[in-house]
Amino acid sequence: MQKITIAIDGYSSCGKSTLAKALAQRLNYSYIDTGAMYRAVTRYAIQHQLMDPLTHLINYESLLQALEHIEVNFQFNTHSHVSETYLNGVNVERDIRTMQISENVSKISSIKEVREKMVALQRKMGRSKGVVMDGRDIGTHVFPHAELKLFMTADTTVRAMRRLNELSSKGQYYTIEEVKHNLLSRDYEDSHRKENPLIQAKDAIVLDNTDLSREEQLEFVLRLIADMQLTKDPLSTVK
Ligand code: DC
């Protein structure tokens, strides 16, 4: 079967990465979590005092100079069977999932030069197809010719509960209001920024997973792919 590019965009905590990982595993594709890349840059900025995590103030000049020293990549962990994020050779998979990073990442990801660098890396990582990439601008900007584009959404309270459970499973405790506030403010900032904002691609298929199990979502997408392969060879016509 011909390998394709699968772009998954959508709001925060909609289960994009859960679905993307399951798809990549099932199809034997690689999985790229582009949000992790922006989170890693945010971690670098905070760690090197280029950003104040409380006021969100950024030293733009120093950050832009530092960009060439920021290397983000992924390595597959053969024990946990997940690909993990590395920042300048250090595994930061756990450190980038904290509330502090979530509260600062939208500001960092709105910077043009940061996006240019990350998008170039993402295109390089996905150039051979056979990739599932999730984020905010994958179907609209990173891979506008992706053969399959999904736009994920879900009820806000359901999303906040999912994120709350994820955080508490890692020993990070917040109220549902705090988590909801973070999700909504990130959604707002991500949708209203100047550079490649989060918008639904015209040719994206909307997947509202409020009432869907993980298995149902996976089945839904696998069926879409099977249907695509059956129709008049659409994959070979899309560049
Ligand atoms: O998917 P996530 O919640 O880990 O993403 C963290 C932030 O990174 C998100 O709030 C917006 C930003 N992001 C982005 O601007 N573009 C992407 N392609 C992916 C994430």
Side-chain angles (χ1 to χ4, degrees), residues 8-13 16-17 31 33-39 42 96-97 101-102 105-110 115 118-119 122 133-138 142 163 182-183 186-187 189-190 193 195-198:
I8 305 184
D9 290 304
Y11 297 106
S12 298
S13 293
K16 298 185 295 296
S17 63
Y31 162 58
D33 174 353
T34 64
M37 299 171 75
Y38 293 101
R39 286 174 179 270
T42 307
I96 59 170
R97 309 286 169 193
I101 298 291
S102 296
V105 63
S106 286
K107 192 88 191 283
I108 291 286
S109 67
S110 68
R115 298 203 73 79
M118 294 303 122
V119 168
Q122 290 153 14
M133 197 172 278
D134 79 344
R136 305 293 188 287
D137 59 343
I138 312 304
V142 182
R163 179 55 65 116
N182 174 254
L183 295 188
R186 273 201 295 144
D187 286 348
E189 285 189 47
D190 297 341
R193 66 171 176 238
E195 304 294 328
N196 317 331
L198 166 66

Side-chain angles (χ1 to χ4, degrees), residues 137-173:
D137 59 343
I138 312 304
T140 50
H141 183 70
V142 182
F143 287 114
H145 299 298
E147 289 86 353
L148 179 59
K149 298 181 189 178
L150 298 169
F151 189 86
M152 290 182 66
T153 180
D155 173 82
T156 312
T157 305
V158 170
R159 291 197 281 139
M161 279 309 296
R162 287 176 186 159
R163 179 55 65 116
L164 190 79
N165 291 336
E166 190 188 322
L167 286 165
S168 60
S169 74
K170 292 174 186 160
Q172 302 175 42
Y173 300 101

Side-chain angles (χ1 to χ4, degrees), residues 66-131:
L67 265 185
E68 63 176 305
H69 306 296
I70 302 179
E71 198 189 298
V72 183
N73 56 22
F74 297 98
Q75 283 177 35
F76 192 74
N77 181 326
T78 46
H79 294 292
S80 57
H81 293 279
V82 289
S83 105
E84 296 178 332
T85 317
Y86 281 73
L87 169 63
N88 291 339
V90 177
N91 186 331
V92 289
E93 187 55 38
R94 208 182 157 83
D95 305 328
I96 59 170
R97 309 286 169 193
T98 62
M99 193 62 136
Q100 186 193 57
I101 298 291
S102 296
E103 281 168 351
N104 287 280
V105 63
S106 286
K107 192 88 191 283
I108 291 286
S109 67
S110 68
I111 301 170
K112 184 169 168 272
E113 290 81 356
V114 171
R115 298 203 73 79
E116 281 170 356
K117 177 167 171 139
M118 294 303 122
V119 168
L121 272 173
Q122 290 153 14
R123 288 184 176 148
K124 204 166 155 192
M125 289 174 183
R127 72 185 155 199
S128 312
K129 296 197 182 249
V131 66

